[in-house]
């Protein structure tokens, strides 16, 4: 079975120590913004401002999705399709025009027909933990995950929204982050959950330059992820 690092990305990773945190007040709620490096401060400030504007447009959508019930989660909104893997115990929505493809180390994946960076993928690894809360405090666990697993050595990660939701007694963490590298950047939502003796991860990404247009749509994908109990 692939290790956690192989599950997320095929390149090696390293820890980048944090230097500062910024908190923005948006729509009456606090949204933490954490950068893993102080280099390129002016570029980071521009990214924070851009993300704050995007968050303003998505606040109402995120609030509504966090109140999702089991029945509503099974409905398929317009312009989405549902992927259900009963054998491996999970399901999620994806944009209807995306097509499936093979993503190394993952169990399922779909991508835009023309833009490869716009994609969603799901993978899982064995774990002896029973709930995502067993990973520790949410902010610390997510920070370590993004810096130690998701970010390559040449990438500077920034973490934005972190949310916990509970559906049918199962807890999910969904968070937003950027990975900046010279000449390009990737923005993403990730949702992690634990059940069936497995650590599940869904990641949906897009080019950072297109993120403001796609963010709300991809948040639906991240918030739709559900795990279900496996039957013997």
């Amino acid at each position: 079975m692939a290790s956690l690092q192989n599950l997320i990305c095929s390149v090696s990773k390293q820890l980048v120590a944090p230097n500062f945190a910024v908190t923005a007040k948006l729509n009456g709620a606090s949204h933490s913004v954490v950068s893993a490096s102080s280099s390129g401060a002016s570029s980071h400030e521009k990214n924070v401002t851009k993300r704050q504007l995007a968050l303003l447009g998505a606040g109402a959508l995120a609030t509504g999705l966090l109140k999702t019930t089991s029945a509503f989660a099974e409905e398929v909104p317009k312009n989405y399709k549902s992927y259900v893997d009963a054998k491996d115990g999970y399901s999620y929505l994806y944009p209807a025009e995306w097509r499936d493809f093979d993503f190394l180390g993952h169990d399922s994946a779909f991508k835009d027909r023309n833009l490869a960076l716009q994609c969603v993928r799901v993978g899982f690894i064995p774990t002896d933990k029973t709930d995502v809360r067993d990973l520790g405090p949410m902010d610390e666990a997510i920070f370590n995950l993004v810096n130690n697993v998701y970010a390559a050595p040449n990438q500077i990660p920034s973490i934005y929204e972190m949310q916990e939701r509970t559906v049918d007694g199962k807890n999910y963490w969904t968070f937003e982050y950027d990975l900046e590298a010279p000449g390009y950047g990737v923005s993403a939502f990730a949702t992690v959950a634990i059940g069936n003796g497995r650590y599940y991860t869904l990641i949906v990404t897009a080019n950072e330059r297109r993120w403001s247009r796609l963010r709300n749509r991809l948040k639906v994908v991240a918030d739709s992820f559900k795990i279900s109990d496996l039957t013997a």
Side-chain angles (χ1 to χ4, degrees):
M1 183 70 68
S3 69
L4 180 57
Q5 287 185 324
N6 288 334
L7 173 68
I8 306 302
C9 189
S10 60
V11 299
S12 62
K13 314 295 187 225
Q14 69 178 21
L15 175 64
V16 183
N19 287 327
F20 61 90
V22 179
T23 300
K25 196 75 171 179
L26 299 170
N27 288 346
S30 289
H31 302 274
S32 295
V33 181
V34 181
S35 175
S37 173
S38 60
S39 62
S42 61
S43 174
H44 175 76
E45 290 169 358
K46 292 178 181 178
N47 288 337
V48 171
T49 300
K50 180 180 66 178
R51 184 53 51 85
Q52 289 174 357
L53 292 174
L55 288 171
L56 284 170
L61 175 64
T63 300
L65 286 172
L66 287 175
K67 299 177 181 178
T68 299
T69 64
S70 176
F72 179 81
E74 294 176 0
E75 297 177 0
V76 180
K78 184 180 179 181
N79 298 323
Y80 291 89
K81 290 184 179 180
S82 176
Y83 180 83
V84 179
D85 187 337
K87 176 178 177 292
D88 291 310
Y90 70 89
S91 64
Y92 60 94
L93 302 175
Y94 64 94
E97 71 276 13
W98 288 12
R99 61 181 178 85
D100 66 310
F101 76 111
D102 292 327
F103 196 106
L104 180 65
H106 291 71
D107 190 65
S108 65
F110 294 86
K111 68 177 181 179
D112 186 277
R113 294 179 181 273
N114 301 311
L115 300 170
L117 278 180
Q118 291 177 204
C119 68
V120 58
R121 68 261 194 191
V122 171
F124 52 83
I125 57 172
T127 181
D128 58 0
K129 301 184 184 304
T130 60
D131 188 274
V132 72
R133 292 177 178 175
D134 296 339
L135 299 174
M138 180 173 67
D139 55 347
E140 294 179 11
I142 290 174
F143 183 88
N144 290 332
L145 184 63
V146 173
N147 282 277
N148 288 326
V149 182
Y150 297 174
N154 69 328
Q155 292 176 319
I156 299 175
S158 297
I159 304 169
Y160 300 96
E161 276 196 318
M162 301 180 189
Q163 298 174 331
E164 179 179 280
R165 61 187 168 92
T166 302
V167 181
D168 295 337
K170 296 180 175 62
N171 297 313
Y172 302 80
W173 289 348
T174 296
F175 50 97
E176 180 181 2
Y177 64 94
D178 285 341
L179 297 177
E180 291 280 353
Y184 77 98
V186 176
S187 296
F189 286 114
T191 296
V192 296
I194 292 177
N196 303 314
R198 299 174 175 183
Y199 182 125
Y200 294 87
T201 301
L202 175 146
I203 297 178
V204 57
T205 67
N207 187 296
E208 185 187 34
R209 289 175 296 180
R210 295 177 55 84
W211 190 248
S212 61
R213 286 182 288 171
L214 296 169
R215 183 186 186 276
N216 289 8
R217 193 178 191 205
L218 300 187
K219 184 66 159 60
V220 173
V221 176
D223 283 335
S224 71
F225 183 70
K226 289 182 59 182
I227 58 177
S228 56
D229 295 330
L230 297 178
T231 58

